[in-house]
Amino acid sequence: MSHESTYVPGSAIERWLDKRLPIIRLGYDSFGDFPTPKNLNYWYTFGGILSVCLVIQIVTGIILAMHYTPHVDYAFESVEHIMRDVNYGDIMRYAHANGASMFFIAVYLHMFRGLYYGSYKDPREMLWIIGVVIFILMMATAFMGYVLPWGQMSYWGATVITSLFSAIPLIGDSLKTLLWGGYSVDNPTLNRFYALHYLLPFLIAGAVILHIWALHIPGNANPTGVEVKSKKDTLPFHPYYTVKDGFAIVVFFILFAAFLFYMPNSLGHPDNYIPANPLVTPEHIVPEWYFLPFYAMLRAIDFNFLFISSKLGGVIVMFSSLIILFFLPWLDRSKVRSHRYRSTAAKLWFVLFVADCVFLGWLGGQVAEQPFILFSQLATAFYFIYLLVILPLLGLMETPKELPKSISEDVLSNTKKKAAISATPEPVAQPAE
Amino acid sequence: MNSVSDTQPSVGDHGEETTRRDFIHLMAIGATGAAVLAVGVPAIHQLNPDASVRALATKEVDISAIDIGQAIKVMWQGKPVFIRRRTEEEINAAGETPISALKDSKSRNENLTGSEEATDTNRVVKPEWMIVVGVCTHLGCVPLGTDEGDSRGEYNGWFCPCHGSHYDIAGRIRKGPAPENLIIPPYEFVSDTVVKIG
Amino acid sequence: MNTIIKTLITATAFFGLSVGIANAAGGETKELKHHHWTFAGITGAYDKESVQRGFQVYREVCSACHSLDYVAFRHLGQKGGPFYMEKCPEGFPSTQDCRQPIANPIIKALAAEYEIEDGPDDGGDMFMRPGLPADYMPGPYANVQQAAAANGGAIPPDFSLIAKARHHGPDYIYSLLTGYEDPPETITIAEGTYYNPYFPGDSTSLLKPEYVDDEGHVLEGVKVPYGGVLKMKAPLSDEIVDYADEETPETVEQYSEDVTNFLMWAAEPKLESRKRMGMISMIYLFIFAGIVYWSYKQIWSDVDH
């Protein structure tokens, strides 16, 4: 559905520029006239929301970088300086810290949406793969960013997560020393994390451009999973989706502002307001909430498996949970994309999978004791079983419902249904949808 | 390509409804613009001096050890301040300079309004003490003339080596590219031997 | 997609239920006293008089051991601070702007009561001078080693961020300060330590031998007391601080409330301006959302979707 350009340069300057650098044409074709399925619902607005999140993080991040000092003796102090003395510094820092959480809320919803509607299926595999790359880059960026305030959680989080690499056979310990630039997490570590934390967002921005490119080659997927058949199925991106995304972004900002202004510390951990102390480990180390599901998987492996130690096993399981996402387009054998037309069994398993991810997140925040370890093991097992066994088998076994012939037909039948309901002379109380 | 116009009537194409419709879209665009501007204010204002910088505005200097004819340099708000104890002859010479001989006729004295005539009296609190911010008004270099053995320029005051600006003994620009006299910082004598700058 | 919403609701409900079993492990602390704080809520603001009294309590009691490293005198006089002045007192020269902490007479006088180390002077020596508004509060100890040595090995934590560095910080501080009690019968505590049911710790190891078996397991039917022991003895007692205001009771509860207010201010000095900005932003965002929604409805009004 990569469409022919419809841009007509309006003025002499535009014509001049268009011959030399058709940048306005690119913008117009991508975000102006781009034909977009007309049945996209609000779950499809998270792409726009995520772009805004990235911009917010980069802008507030650069502002913070102007006042922050990446040195173990001054990092904590400089963050307090930002909070207390820099003009609007408290707002900037809270916006950056809570902005990261908002970013992850949006990215998780974006991913589950892709999962539910089968957006990753042929011909959009590259789109999904780049998305997973962005997600992993985001995790790396967020992790390094959390180290910078140099509080207790920063320090011990950095120690624990970098120690994961020591589980790798043979090279593990050397690799850990290489990452640290020393024999413990210290000033060299903080400095390089700062440099990388500044760099990675720009890599993310680059990957986002590829992501949008990969989206614009086949065009948007949509809730029916039926490809666009004719002009009747689409609307130009502007103004239809600029305004719809715009509305969603404003609503999202309300959520963001609620955290930023009224509970800015609710998603953080109090221990990070204690300066890093290499002699005292906090009683209960927890990563930020968005890492908790993966943290739970890491801790679930408390047994040796054949020649694999429990430590290495945990690391393998945790990283596999991310790597497996790359293969999702080929693991899902369903004949239709969208769960809307799949069997009830498929829907139920999907619901269980979402619940499992949330449950893993909750488990990641609990102490590493029974029964939580057992729960984590079961939930981790289900995570992999769903993706590796259930998803492929469902696709092979189920008979999907009949697909609508086109997007327009689907939209029309919905409208008729609605009209029929509202036209009933004596309206019967409708059960809430 | 006629895009979607065959199926979708374009927006605002409904006679009398047009005004109301355009109005709401303009409102939406305006509200977006206002929001971006409102966010821009803190994003720019954070560059201004922060509260800790603003609080470090004053500095007290003990001047009892400066002999007649000598000068010292002290740091104030990150800039050098020259404190010169002038000789009788120097004070007289500065006082006799006619305003017409000056390149910049304003006093540039922050203890006054700054726009009075640049007489020597308007440049000092006590004639013996010449206190100026040691930043050339051309492009911000530190003029020579404070330390023993420095070049003091053609007017026996200060000389900026970067681009050749000559200041007289009252810190007034006499020759060279600098446009204004050296700034006099706000200061007061706390006692005969202590001056508080800022 | 409705299924997804239902899932999320179910998951959230499940999440809520399971929190109940979360704290099943030993070493519990007593449930904190829930106090109503004026700074809570969306329009929350500090009770300035209470913060002022709390500063007096900090200064006369806490500051003997606890530093306030990130708080400068000028912070006390800035907007939102306890000694902020909207305008100068009568008889001040009109050039002075007392809204600026460096011109605020209370702050100047307060800072001058402290001796601050400065230097080196021209001879290379450090010297003491009266404090200025820009100076930070001097702490009681020169370094952590000295602090540990003076307190039986325990380092009194810095107080600048204490209200944010503990779960439910304000309630915790208030509960801890008002919660000292005699140790329960079942435990023995060492000389120089003090029992507090709100202090995090595991008092299992303090149980008297008759309540544990040979392997150190707690005997059936024995309840491990809440909380643990700390090296700070109850710092407040009635009438320990003399308030200028005769109306305000001089009790441990009142002192604790005041000092909690002060410590919360010290941890979040910009809370009021943040919440004010939040109110404006929220109102704007709701109106903005309404406008964009209206615009959206208009644009989509002719489209079947």
Side-chain angles (χ1 to χ4, degrees):
Chain A
M1 203 176 74
S2 196
H3 72 302
E4 240 173 89
S5 182
T6 54
Y7 171 66
V8 183
S11 64
I13 296 176
E14 283 176 67
R15 278 193 295 278
W16 182 89
L17 185 65
D18 197 50
K19 273 193 183 158
R20 289 155 181 86
L21 179 71
I23 189 163
I24 303 179
R25 181 181 297 276
L26 179 70
Y28 181 82
D29 292 342
S30 307
F31 305 106
D33 190 45
F34 191 79
T36 312
K38 61 191 209 176
N39 59 340
L40 299 187
N41 54 33
Y42 280 111
W43 295 100
Y44 284 80
T45 58
F46 285 101
I49 289 170
L50 284 162
S51 318
V52 173
C53 284
L54 181 61
V55 171
I56 290 175
Q57 289 308 92
I58 290 180
V59 170
T60 53
I62 288 174
I63 288 171
L64 292 175
M66 292 180 190
H67 304 279
Y68 169 78
T69 312
H71 186 285
V72 289
D73 293 340
Y74 303 105
F76 191 87
E77 195 183 310
S78 68
V79 172
E80 274 315 302
H81 166 69
I82 291 169
M83 293 295 289
R84 289 161 194 271
D85 290 335
V86 172
N87 307 314
Y88 297 107
D90 56 331
I91 304 294
M92 293 297 159
R93 171 161 178 258
Y94 280 148
H96 196 68
N98 287 288
S101 284
M102 296 300 124
F103 210 154
F104 276 95
I105 290 176
V107 88
Y108 283 131
L109 292 173
H110 192 62
M111 289 167 78
F112 279 125
R113 188 271 291 153
L115 225 55
Y116 184 82
Y117 291 119
S119 307
Y120 45 76
K121 288 176 77 71
D122 177 42
R124 295 184 184 80
E125 297 94 329
M126 273 315 289
L127 177 60
W128 172 262
I129 288 170
I130 296 167
V132 177
V133 169
I134 294 173
F135 176 55
I136 293 172
L137 284 173
M138 273 175 68
M139 294 176 88
T141 312
F143 161 65
M144 287 192 258
Y146 196 59
V147 175
L148 303 185
W150 209 242
Q152 274 288 68
M153 276 297 160
S154 301
Y155 181 85
W156 292 102
T159 302
V160 168
I161 302 301
T162 47
S163 295
L164 293 181
F165 293 91
S166 69
I168 300 169
L170 301 176
I171 58 160
D173 278 322
S174 325
L175 184 61
K176 188 175 75 175
T177 310
L178 181 84
L179 283 174
W180 285 349
Y183 303 106
S184 67
V185 172
D186 209 335
N187 198 48
T189 327
L190 177 61
N191 254 293
R192 64 191 58 183
F193 276 22
Y194 177 61
L196 293 173
H197 183 70
Y198 207 122
L199 168 72
L200 288 186
F202 297 98
L203 294 188
I204 293 177
V208 166
I209 291 170
L210 295 182
H211 194 61
I212 296 172
W213 189 12
L215 169 71
H216 283 184
I217 296 301
N220 273 80
N222 68 81
T224 62
V226 178
E227 287 295 337
V228 168
K229 299 263 163 62
S230 69
K231 294 263 148 48
K232 280 186 188 161
D233 293 343
T234 67
L235 294 168
F237 188 80
H238 178 77
Y240 293 96
Y241 284 104
T242 40
V243 74
K244 188 164 185 166
D245 282 1
F247 173 64
I249 288 166
V250 178
V251 172
F252 190 75
F253 271 150
I254 293 176
L255 176 76
F256 188 3
F259 277 101
L260 164 57
F261 293 112
Y262 298 123
M263 37 189 174
N265 293 307
S266 60
L267 297 170
H269 198 286
D271 277 26
N272 227 24
Y273 281 112
I274 303 171
N277 181 353
L279 295 176
V280 184
T281 306
E283 218 166 287
H284 188 189
I285 300 185
V286 278
E288 290 281 82
W289 68 268
Y290 36 81
F291 292 142
L292 290 174
F294 303 95
Y295 194 58
M297 293 195 218
L298 172 76
R299 295 194 307 185
I301 311 304
D302 65 343
F303 50 86
N304 296 340
F305 180 73
L306 303 176
F307 57 91
I308 299 170
S309 70
S310 54
K311 182 174 173 182
L312 179 59
V315 174
I316 291 175
V317 166
M318 189 183 78
F319 283 109
S320 306
S321 69
L322 291 170
I323 303 298
I324 196 174
L325 297 175
F326 284 112
F327 300 98
L328 204 55
W330 296 277
L331 286 169
D332 183 357
R333 311 303 304 167
S334 169
K335 294 168 204 73
V336 297
R337 290 200 181 93
S338 172
H339 270 76
R340 200 182 265 186
Y341 303 101
R342 296 188 62 177
S343 60
T344 315
K347 281 182 192 161
L348 279 177
W349 283 116
F350 176 81
V351 167
L352 274 178
F353 179 69
V354 177
D356 186 59
C357 293
V358 176
F359 186 43
L360 275 169
W362 177 73
L363 287 166
Q366 302 307 312
V367 286
E369 282 170 17
Q370 295 295 6
F372 306 116
I373 296 175
L374 179 68
F375 288 163
S376 302
Q377 287 164 346
L378 293 174
T380 306
F382 181 76
Y383 180 92
F384 285 97
I385 290 171
Y386 176 79
L387 293 176
L388 288 172
V389 182
I390 297 173
L391 202 57
L393 282 185
L394 273 173
L396 296 173
M397 286 159 58
E398 74 186 344
T399 323
K401 293 177 199 158
E402 197 191 339
L403 288 177
K405 287 203 179 56
S406 71
I407 294 170
S408 300
E409 190 200 79
D410 178 58
V411 166
L412 275 178
S413 70
N414 286 342
T415 324
K416 271 184 204 143
K417 250 185 258 163
K418 271 186 211 156
I421 289 165
S422 56
T424 314
E426 283 292 316
V428 189
Q430 292 294 325
E433 272 192 62
Chain B
M1 185 170 131
N2 55 359
S3 77
V4 292
S5 52
D6 48 1
T7 52
Q8 304 305 335
S10 62
V11 181
D13 201 15
H14 285 253
E16 57 190 56
E17 270 189 30
T18 311
T19 351
R20 191 165 60 90
R21 290 184 151 209
D22 285 350
F23 173 69
I24 186 62
H25 304 321
L26 285 175
M27 284 269 284
I29 293 164
T32 311
V36 170
L37 283 180
V39 171
V41 171
I44 301 300
H45 187 45
Q46 54 87 18
L47 294 164
N48 274 319
D50 62 51
S52 63
V53 174
R54 294 197 302 267
L56 291 173
T58 62
K59 169 150 193 143
E60 291 190 2
V61 185
D62 184 352
I63 51 173
S64 58
I66 307 172
D67 287 332
I68 292 174
Q70 277 189 337
I72 61 163
K73 242 185 248 182
V74 293
M75 285 285 278
W76 171 69
Q77 291 190 342
K79 293 173 287 199
V81 169
F82 300 151
I83 303 177
R84 176 182 293 284
R85 190 170 180 187
R86 301 189 293 185
T87 62
E88 205 62 39
E89 301 84 67
E90 284 172 337
I91 298 169
N92 291 338
E96 284 159 13
T97 310
I99 298 296
S100 57
L102 300 175
K103 193 174 169 192
D104 175 19
S105 63
K106 296 206 169 87
S107 73
R108 309 290 170 193
N109 185 343
E110 291 187 4
N111 299 292
L112 307 170
T113 65
S115 53
E116 299 82 5
E117 284 198 332
T119 58
D120 191 53
T121 344
N122 279 342
R123 297 272 297 164
V124 291
V125 174
K126 290 182 181 177
E128 192 177 27
W129 296 100
M130 188 68 229
I131 300 177
V132 292
V133 175
V135 175
C136 181
T137 56
H138 181 217
L139 292 170
C141 294
V142 177
L144 298 172
T146 305
D147 295 335
E148 299 284 335
D150 274 2
S151 161
R152 290 174 66 169
E154 290 176 23
Y155 295 86
N156 195 33
W158 286 275
F159 169 66
C160 183
C162 289
H163 308 98
S165 293
H166 299 258
Y167 296 91
D168 68 10
I169 195 66
R172 296 173 294 200
I173 180 67
R174 301 298 288 273
K175 187 182 169 191
E180 290 168 12
N181 301 326
L182 291 177
I183 305 287
I184 313 278
Y187 66 91
E188 59 180 307
F189 286 89
V190 180
S191 69
D192 280 347
T193 57
V194 175
V195 62
K196 192 177 92 179
I197 304 171
Chain C
M1 215 63 195
N2 277 336
T3 16
I4 293 187
I5 298 170
K6 278 176 205 150
T7 311
L8 290 176
I9 292 169
T10 324
T12 317
F14 178 71
F15 194 82
L17 283 176
S18 13
V19 171
I21 52 166
N23 298 320
E28 277 177 72
T29 51
K30 202 168 165 182
E31 194 191 330
L32 297 178
K33 299 176 188 174
H34 295 293
H35 198 78
H36 174 73
W37 302 106
T38 58
F39 51 76
I42 57 169
T43 53
Y46 290 113
D47 173 349
K48 291 291 145 52
E49 280 164 18
S50 178
V51 176
Q52 288 178 8
R53 291 193 300 267
F55 175 61
Q56 190 187 350
V57 175
Y58 166 76
R59 207 179 157 191
E60 292 179 21
V61 182
C62 320
S63 69
C65 304
H66 294 276
S67 55
L68 206 56
D69 286 346
Y70 301 111
V71 177
F73 297 112
R74 64 186 163 81
H75 287 135
L76 294 158
Q78 75 192 8
K79 201 157 193 226
F83 298 111
Y84 173 69
M85 276 185 169
E86 195 61 58
K87 57 174 186 278
C88 288
E90 295 281 320
F92 250 66
S94 62
T95 50
Q96 294 278 17
D97 180 5
C98 292
R99 286 174 300 178
Q100 297 303 323
I102 48 170
N104 181 317
I106 301 173
I107 300 301
K108 283 166 106 168
L110 176 73
E113 288 172 29
Y114 288 78
E115 284 283 294
I116 306 287
E117 191 181 45
D118 200 349
D121 61 16
D122 294 342
D125 300 314
M126 303 304 279
F127 59 93
M128 301 302 281
R129 60 161 173 79
L132 293 168
D135 289 316
Y136 282 79
M137 299 248 180
Y141 304 110
N143 46 52
V144 285
Q145 286 77 6
Q146 194 186 57
N151 292 283
I155 301 164
D158 181 68
F159 268 5
S160 321
L161 286 161
I162 200 85
K164 287 199 289 187
R166 300 287 182 275
H167 283 286
H168 309 289
D171 282 343
Y172 169 76
I173 296 168
Y174 182 79
S175 302
L176 186 83
L177 287 175
T178 56
Y180 278 91
E181 55 187 55
D182 292 331
E185 298 281 296
T186 48
I187 61 171
T188 36
I189 64 171
E191 186 86 8
T193 62
Y194 305 89
Y195 174 75
N196 193 311
Y198 300 100
F199 191 74
D202 191 346
S203 45
T204 315
S205 60
L206 304 172
L207 285 171
K208 288 177 179 161
E210 56 262 42
Y211 300 108
V212 289
D213 65 19
D214 297 340
E215 287 180 318
H217 295 300
V218 183
L219 293 179
E220 202 137 322
V222 176
K223 198 181 168 313
V224 179
Y226 285 122
V229 294
L230 67 166
K231 293 212 166 146
M232 175 174 78
K233 70 167 187 246
L236 298 171
S237 55
D238 292 349
E239 286 168 33
I240 192 173
V241 177
D242 191 15
Y243 284 154
D245 172 16
E246 294 301 327
E247 302 285 295
T248 315
E250 292 170 359
T251 59
V252 171
E253 280 74 22
Q254 185 65 42
Y255 293 147
S256 302
E257 183 183 317
D258 291 342
V259 85
T260 305
N261 273 321
F262 170 69
L263 291 175
M264 186 61 194
W265 170 81
E268 273 286 297
K270 289 184 172 180
L271 174 138
E272 290 182 1
S273 67
R274 167 162 58 77
K275 290 193 172 177
R276 216 175 308 119
M277 203 191 260
M279 184 59 82
I280 297 164
S281 308
M282 278 297 192
I283 292 170
Y284 188 85
L285 282 172
F286 274 104
I287 296 170
F288 189 17
I291 293 170
V292 180
Y293 186 71
W294 189 9
S295 173
Y296 159 67
K297 277 289 164 198
Q298 291 284 0
I299 287 174
W300 282 74
S301 58
D302 302 321
V303 185
D304 293 325
H305 64 283

